[in-house]
Amino acid sequence: MIDVMVWEAAREQATKLRQEHQTSDPYVIARELGLDVIETVTPVGMAGMIVKKRGEAAQIFIDSSDVPGRRRFTCAHELGHFVERENIARDDDFSFRDERGGRYDLHEFFADEFAGELLMPAHDFERLEREGATTTTIAHTFGVSTTAVERRRDRLRKNPARSWV
């Protein structure tokens, strides 16, 4: 039951931000929220990281060697961490380091679900699927990797979109 609440909260927060900012571009949203987004070479195995120190602007670090679709998803994922800590936990001091194949907990699940909904809104994603779009076409449409599309497809099959999305 708890993960149902987590995925619903993540999707709801992503939808709210997308509507408020009138874009699904995580870079634009992050900057409008006052976050610094820095593309840089990260340590081996690290896709991204967010650091928020009390009283300071949060900083998102993204591996500049990743392909554009992967960097876009990483930015949305790190933005998801920010939203979860700021809007839900009301935390002003936190950091998350997202390592490929690393620890996966409810924070990571929330950030992934948030990123999926922000970049690939459920109803648009499901419409493309009904129309017979290929995984590659869907990835191109949303500016993400085919891996992100496959993961989103699996999540939506497990937890279908609600009418509020």
Side-chain angles (χ1 to χ4, degrees), residues 117-135:
E117 184 63 31
L118 181 68
L119 299 173
M120 300 172 275
H123 291 299
D124 294 335
F125 187 97
E126 290 169 343
R127 178 185 45 78
L128 288 170
E129 291 245 295
R130 284 191 307 274
E131 293 171 357
T134 65
T135 298

Side-chain angles (χ1 to χ4, degrees), residues 9-77:
R11 290 182 188 176
E12 194 170 61
Q13 290 291 317
T15 299
K16 178 181 171 189
L17 271 186
R18 190 175 56 251
Q19 291 170 347
E20 286 175 357
H21 293 269
Q22 299 181 344
T23 185
S24 61
D25 186 327
Y27 288 88
V28 170
I29 294 171
R31 289 182 178 122
E32 287 180 359
L33 292 174
L35 284 71
D36 294 324
V37 180
I38 303 154
E39 290 189 356
T40 187
V41 176
T42 61
V44 174
M46 188 173 84
M49 177 172 71
I50 186 167
V51 177
K52 170 71 173 86
K53 295 179 182 174
R54 192 169 318 281
E56 296 180 15
Q59 294 181 304
I60 293 175
F61 297 91
I62 299 168
D63 188 353
S64 60
S65 68
D66 278 336
V67 297
R70 174 64 182 169
R71 291 193 313 261
R72 185 171 149 84
F73 191 89
T74 299
C75 186
H77 176 96

